[in-house]
Amino acid sequence: MATVELTFSALPAHVRTARLVATAIARRTGVAEAILDEVRLAVGEACSRAVEAHRLHCPGEPVRIELRDDAGRFEVTVTDAAPSEDVTPQVLEASGSLMPEIDNLGIAVIAGLADDVEVLPGPKGMRIRMSWPASSNGVAAL
Amino acid sequence: MDLKLDHHSEDNLTIVDVEGEIDVYTAPRLRELLIDLVNKGNFHLLVNMEKVDFLDSTGLGVLVGGLKRVRAHDGSLELVCTQERILKIFRITGLTKVFGIYASVEEAKEAHGRDK
């Protein structure tokens, strides 16, 4: 089991970096080219949600992402440190008010993209674990 | 890639050309542009997404917000998009039923002309 861990400050600009790293490692792990876009989008959604949650609750804390090659699966876990009972993906209108109709859209997108998803909310933060098939020898499965 | 935004008007339609990645970092710029256009009286918007490399739910939220704003003025916000990777997120979220999505600017203009 090979693991790469990445922590980054809760800044929107870093979400792109996390996406790029995840995509690069997914490719190296053997995730098929056809689903790399899904990995990129799902990881981006999870990291965006975590960044928004941190900006509301704990802007000084970093977001953590683990990327793991585990027995023919590429597994990504995004962990935040914000209490998650009342945290949903949020977009602010220019007035600062929330757009409630798109709450949870990010997690809905992840659920639609990842082969296997587990969302674990908790008082000390949320953990989103998702995985996709990968070839065991690191060559993209066809 | 960063986000490039441009816009121009043709008849009663304002075409917004978007290029690059729309995510949690760049989406606020698109939101500001859409709000500015609506505030200046542009209520029929066509967002050309043919050069968009990446779109996430933050970007979807901005488009939905823009749609709400133009509808408040009996306007429209429609999209040009043929890229499967972008269309997929609209399908997953069911937003293909909310937005008019066209294969080209010309096709959208024809439909807009018919609806006027």
Side-chain angles (χ1 to χ4, degrees):
Chain A
M1 179 189 297
T3 303
V4 173
E5 288 188 28
L6 175 72
T7 58
F8 61 92
S9 302
L11 297 172
H14 293 333
V15 172
R16 181 172 188 264
T17 305
R19 284 200 308 264
L20 294 174
V21 170
T23 307
I25 295 173
R27 181 178 282 117
R28 186 177 176 80
T29 303
V31 173
E33 287 289 327
I35 55 175
L36 286 178
D37 272 338
E38 298 179 9
V39 173
R40 182 167 72 133
L41 181 51
V43 171
E45 293 289 353
C47 291
S48 296
R49 198 213 64 80
V51 165
E52 292 297 332
H54 276 223
R55 290 171 78 192
L56 285 172
H57 293 278
C58 51
E61 293 291 320
V63 173
R64 194 167 103 241
I65 175 169
E66 295 170 48
L67 306 123
R68 191 172 300 118
D69 172 9
D70 188 6
R73 305 283 302 175
F74 173 63
E75 185 177 291
V76 181
T77 305
V78 177
T79 307
D80 68 61
S84 53
E85 288 90 347
D86 61 342
V87 175
T88 53
Q90 293 164 347
V91 170
L92 299 177
E93 290 272 42
S95 63
S97 62
L98 294 174
M99 294 171 53
E101 74 273 15
I102 64 154
D103 280 1
N104 285 322
L105 195 56
I107 288 178
V109 170
I110 293 169
L113 290 171
D115 196 53
D116 167 46
V117 184
E118 187 179 43
V119 179
L120 298 167
K124 292 183 179 176
M126 182 180 279
R127 197 171 77 217
I128 299 177
R129 188 193 58 75
M130 45 203 163
S131 72
W132 293 265
S135 65
S136 55
N137 60 2
V139 178
L142 296 175
Chain B
M1 177 184 268
D2 202 355
L3 185 68
K4 291 181 185 172
L5 299 170
D6 199 3
H7 66 91
H8 64 281
S9 293
E10 295 183 23
D11 299 325
N12 189 32
L13 188 65
T14 300
I15 299 170
V16 179
D17 291 306
V18 187
E19 181 176 351
E21 299 185 342
I22 310 173
D23 68 0
V24 68
Y25 179 55
T26 60
R29 287 178 47 213
L30 177 60
R31 181 168 62 236
E32 285 167 17
L33 174 60
L34 296 180
I35 290 170
D36 188 49
L37 288 172
V38 173
N39 287 344
K40 289 177 177 169
N42 302 282
F43 302 137
H44 292 284
L45 306 178
L46 177 64
V47 181
N48 182 1
M49 305 183 69
E50 282 300 84
K51 293 183 178 177
V52 171
D53 298 316
F54 180 84
L55 173 74
D56 70 5
S57 64
T58 318
L60 289 180
V62 168
L63 294 172
V64 171
L67 183 63
K68 280 175 61 180
R69 285 176 182 276
V70 294
R71 279 188 176 168
H73 300 276
D74 293 324
S76 62
L77 190 156
E78 296 179 314
L79 310 171
V80 172
C81 182
T82 58
Q83 296 186 75
E84 187 53 37
R85 68 163 80 167
I86 304 296
L87 289 171
K88 185 168 189 173
I89 188 169
F90 283 97
R91 285 198 205 98
I92 288 171
T93 54
L95 288 173
T96 47
K97 295 171 186 166
V98 174
F99 290 102
I101 301 178
Y102 297 95
S104 68
V105 170
E106 287 67 31
E107 186 183 297
K109 281 162 62 179
E110 282 177 24
H112 183 70
R114 284 197 300 271
D115 292 343
K116 271 201 296 189

